[in-house]
Each structure stands twice: as structure tokens, then as C-alpha cells.
Amino acid sequence: MNFILRKLGFYAVACWAAITLNFAIPRMLPGDPVDILLAKLSQRGGTVTAETRKAYAALLGGDTDDPLLTQYWTYLTNLLKGDLGVSISYFPAKVTDVISASMPWTVVLVGIATLIAAVIGVLLGAVAGWRPGSWLDSLVPATTLLAAVPYFWLSLVLVYVLSRMMGLFPSQGGYDVVLTPGWNADFISSAAYYGFLPALTIVLASLGGWILGMRNMMGSTLSEDYILTARAKGLPSRWILRNYAARNAVLPSVAGFAISLGFVVSGSVVTEQVFSYPGIGSRLLGAVTNNDYALMQGVFLYITLAVLGANLVVDLLYGLIDPRTRARA
């Protein structure tokens, strides 16, 4: 119980620090979101007055001319109410509405791709580490090269080969525009069809890292005394691989997977831009481009909570999987 309370206290402080940075960093950027919105209004022929500026400032969660402490208190108060403000980029939509419309696309795409890459990578890495010098082990350097390839380059190659040349998959979009989004077979199959290339990009780019990490951990685990003892007892190789070597070697991969799931919320900005995918990455890029404080803070907040939650789950799981961590904590 003390172990859990210490972890919860640590992550509560980390959450407060992250929220504070989330408030401060966008305000260090040049430009004023209220002035940007008023400029857009003026371009459309609207009349800009002092009352208009005050109204827009209140609409966006407070005047940026106020002292930082006042803005910070207003931000925390609105945050507790679940009010993340109004987005400039998608005005007059609320930030929560913009994020809720984009988040499922990113979570499904990046989440499934990360899960597939992690499972395949860990399995192949375990086999490669168990049999050093095999043909699979010799392919590990080739797979790690994919991790060094920029996302956008790999995305463009897949689009050119599988979409332009072979015509197997669409190159852009998240679903067939003639369909109405909903939980029906036609829409789900269309979304899966359109999301195949972006998912394949993420899997290929991250697969090598999972394989290499698991292979290296297997190599160090096989030199442990308990593995030598298990072999000396004449236990079957599959039993040793599954219950001794892989079980201990997979612990860092479990931590890496949970942390990767935390970053699933942030999506892949480059991949979504190449494929014009309607995910949170595209929304984040638009928010940064337009100095949209409210949307930036909202997206960063979701990312922060997801990463902290994933790390908390990892720490608690480690305490269950490896009791030694509870003693050291």
C-alpha cells in the first residue's frame, strides 16, 4: 500500500508540473490569439472595437493582457470545470469538441499499429535472441534500418508503390466521403481500408526497435545463472524460452509498450499530414501554425495525462511482475 501511495503522490506532483508547463509554454510563443482572431474578423469585413476585443478575450478564456498569475488561476479554474476554451483554428468550435472528433481516429490507427508492431517485434526478437546467428538474427540490422528512415519518406514510398503504381489502397483520407460516419460495417471497413497505409508506415518504422530491444535483452538474459541451471536440469528448450528467458527479458518491452501507448494520443503528425488523415496530429499542427493557445493546451493536456497514466500503470505493473521493484521503491 505504501508503494502505491508513494507512486500516486509522485505522479500527482508530476501532473501539476506538467499542467503548469502546459500553461506557460504556449504563452512564450510570439503572437496573441485574440489579435489573430480579430485580424481574421477584420479580413472578413467585420468591425473591430475595444468591446469586440474584450468579448473575444473572454470567449477564449481570459485576456492575455492580464497578469500571468491571473491567467494561470483562470486556466486552472476552467480546467477543473472541464472547460478548455474555444479553438481559434476551428472557431467557434470548443476545444473539447475538436479533440473528441479527432482523437478516436488517432487512437485507433496508432494504437492498433503500435500493438501489432510491439507483439510481432517482441516475438521475433525473442526467437532471434534465443538462436543467435540464425537467418532471423541476421535480418535484425536490416529491420533496424527502417527505424532510421524518416516517417515522411517511408510514407511517400508506400503511397507511390502501393497506391500510385499498384492501385491497391487510397493515398489520402480516413474513409470514403460518400459514407456517413457511424458504427456500421460499411463505414468501419472503409476506415480500415483507408487506414491500412498509415498503419503500415507506423508498423514498419517501429518494428525494428522492438525486435532489437527484445533480442538484446534475450542475449543478456541467456547468460544468467538460472538459465544455465534450467538447462543443466534438462528442461525442454521451449519451456526455458517461455517461462524463464522470455518472461524476464520482456520486462523492458512491457515498459516501452505502455509508454508508447501513452504517446498514441499524440498521434503521428507527419504520417497524418502525408495521408491527410483526420487525426489529432493534424489538429495539433494547425494549432501551432495559428498560435491557437486553447487547442494547443488541450491537446498537450490529453497527451500529458495519457503519458503519465501509462507510466503509472507501468510502475504498478512492475511492482506486481517483479516484487524487487517494490523493495527498492
Side-chain angles (χ1 to χ4, degrees), residues 306-321:
V307 173
L308 288 176
N311 279 274
L312 176 60
V313 171
V314 168
D315 282 345
L316 296 180
L317 284 178
Y318 250 97
L320 296 175
I321 298 174

Side-chain angles (χ1 to χ4, degrees), residues 126-181:
V127 175
W130 180 255
R131 298 178 179 176
S134 62
W135 65 270
L136 181 58
D137 189 32
S138 63
L139 290 178
V140 172
T143 59
T144 55
L145 286 177
L146 292 174
V149 175
Y151 266 39
F152 71 90
W153 188 85
L154 183 59
S155 301
L156 293 175
V157 169
L158 291 177
V159 168
Y160 179 74
V161 175
L162 298 180
S163 180
R164 299 299 183 187
M165 291 183 60
M166 304 179 66
L168 297 178
F169 300 97
S171 60
Q172 292 183 333
Y175 61 95
D176 192 342
V177 294
V178 301
L179 298 176
T180 301

